[in-house]
Amino acid sequence: QVQLVESGGGMVQPGGSLRLSCAASGRTFSPYAMAWFRQAPGKEREFVAACTWRNANTYYSDSVKGRFTISRDNGKNTMYLQMNSLKPEDTAVYYCAAKQTYGGAYYVLSTDYNYNYWGQGTQVTVSS
């Protein structure tokens, strides 16, 4: 069984930065890809960014491209999301997810039902 634990959320002013982490545990953890999704109050969960585990190919939603950077440390089984130039509309609960089955590019990796494991979420609030 794989467990994902997010950390690093909090409150920040517009224009500020935060770094989220997602630590994975599990004896046979070897995903094809990991991703960040977010859900704001009253809205559907939306894709933020994804990263393939072996080759570190990255994918971003248009709303965060150029401001957020996804990365991973295979040795630590940890994924990161560096968020810069944060805006109030970035306020949401951020979830990390892992996709075990091989294959897929943007369309597959940006779709939440393709992911096998999910973390509990971490709140990010951008407000002055």
Side-chain angles (χ1 to χ4, degrees):
Q1 185 69 15
V2 172
Q3 289 187 324
L4 304 178
V5 179
E6 302 98 334
S7 61
M11 179 176 289
V12 65
Q13 293 185 343
S17 298
L18 281 175
R19 188 194 196 203
L20 305 184
S21 299
C22 175
S25 62
R27 190 167 52 183
T28 58
F29 183 72
S30 181
Y32 170 72
M34 293 187 71
W36 291 97
F37 288 79
R38 67 187 181 186
Q39 187 167 22
K43 295 187 177 181
E44 294 186 352
R45 185 163 56 190
E46 66 171 353
F47 171 73
V48 175
C51 179
T52 58
W53 203 245
R54 178 179 295 182
N55 297 325
N57 295 322
T58 58
Y59 305 87
Y60 297 93
S61 69
D62 287 342
S63 62
V64 307
K65 197 174 296 182
R67 300 188 298 122
F68 291 10
T69 302
I70 189 172
S71 62
R72 90 279 185 263
D73 184 330
N74 291 22
K76 295 182 179 180
N77 280 354
T78 300
M79 176 178 66
Y80 304 98
L81 185 68
Q82 178 66 45
M83 305 186 295
N84 298 330
S85 302
L86 283 161
K87 305 175 181 180
E89 51 263 45
D90 295 317
T91 295
V93 177
Y94 283 70
Y95 298 92
C96 72
K99 179 182 185 294
Q100 291 288 84
T101 53
Y102 180 84
Y106 183 86
Y107 179 75
V108 171
L109 299 182
S110 64
T111 306
D112 57 2
Y113 59 73
N114 289 314
Y115 288 84
N116 309 97
Y117 301 102
W118 291 84
Q120 81 289 350
T122 186
Q123 176 70 45
V124 171
T125 302
V126 184
S127 175
S128 56

